[in-house]
């Protein structure tokens, strides 16, 4: 079983839709959970991070962590064509001071 | 611009050859991480350096090696290249955590 599982999609939604992206993981030592956005031919950029369980909101983005289910989610409200990218979840046990374990990424297209 | 600089952006080389990828971390960042990204494997951790010392090793092949210099820039050396080594190679830096800042990558094509 892979440490981090993420549905690769692709996911195609109309502009304005609510998008839900998810990852599951198997390592109960993971404490830090991150979402990266990667545009085509660019490096991943950190979108949000959450420590332990709970929710975190930043504008149109909400990250949720459920450690009991080993399940994390990223919600995008009022999705825009500029949100079209690949979204990668990442996690580790030390807050990024050691290697992050990444999901394979979900490719999202938001259609105008 | 993320502040992490990678050169070259693109590299095309033949099987059996050796190449060197270069990374300059963000100013002040002491850690450098190297990742390989391929379509089927996603982002795979290769190696981490912290202030010149190797800190952690991932699934890095013996044909690959890296080092971090006193000015904190890092180089990833790939030798005896095979077709399967074609991928995007990313460097990232972080200090302090959490999370990394990635460079824009080097696209390696082995023909």
């Amino acid at each position: 079983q892979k440490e981090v599982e993420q549905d690769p999609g692709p996911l195609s939604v109309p502009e304005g839709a609510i998008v839900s992206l998810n990852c599951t993981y198997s390592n109960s030592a993971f404490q830090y959970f991150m979402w990266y956005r990667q545009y085509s031919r660019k490096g991943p950029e950190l979108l949000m991070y959450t420590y332990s369980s709970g929710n975190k909101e930043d504008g149109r983005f909400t990250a949720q962590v459920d450690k009991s289910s080993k399940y994390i989610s990223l919600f995008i409200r009022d999705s825009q064509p500029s949100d079209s990218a690949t979204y990668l979840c990442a996690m580790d046990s030390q807050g990024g001071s050691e290697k992050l374990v990444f999901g394979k990424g979900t490719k999202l297209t938001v259609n105008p | 611009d993320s502040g992490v600089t990678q050169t070259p952006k693109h590299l095309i080389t033949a099987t059996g050859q050796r190449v060197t990828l270069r990374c300059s971390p963000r100013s002040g960042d002491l850690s450098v991480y190297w990742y390989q990204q391929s379509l089927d494997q996603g982002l795979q951790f290769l190696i981490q350096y912290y202030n010149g010392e190797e800190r952690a090793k991932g699934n890095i092949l013996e044909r690959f090696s890296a080092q971090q210099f006193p000015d904190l820039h890092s180089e990833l050396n790939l030798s005896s290249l095979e077709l399967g080594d074609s991928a995007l190679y990313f460097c990232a830096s972080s200090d302090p955590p959490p999370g990394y800042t990635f460079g824009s990558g080097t696209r390696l094509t082995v023909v």
Side-chain angles (χ1 to χ4, degrees), chain A residues 54-73:
Chain A
N55 294 358
K56 188 171 185 177
E57 190 172 317
D58 184 1
R60 296 184 294 109
F61 298 88
T62 300
Q64 285 186 355
V65 174
D66 181 349
K67 290 190 70 180
S68 62
S69 303
K70 297 190 176 69
Y71 188 87
I72 71 170
S73 301

Side-chain angles (χ1 to χ4, degrees), chain A residues 30-44:
Chain A
F30 288 148
Q31 297 269 31
Y32 294 85
F33 304 92
M34 293 150 224
W35 286 95
Y36 283 81
R37 177 175 61 196
Q38 185 176 19
Y39 291 113
S40 182
R41 300 184 179 276
K42 300 286 186 186

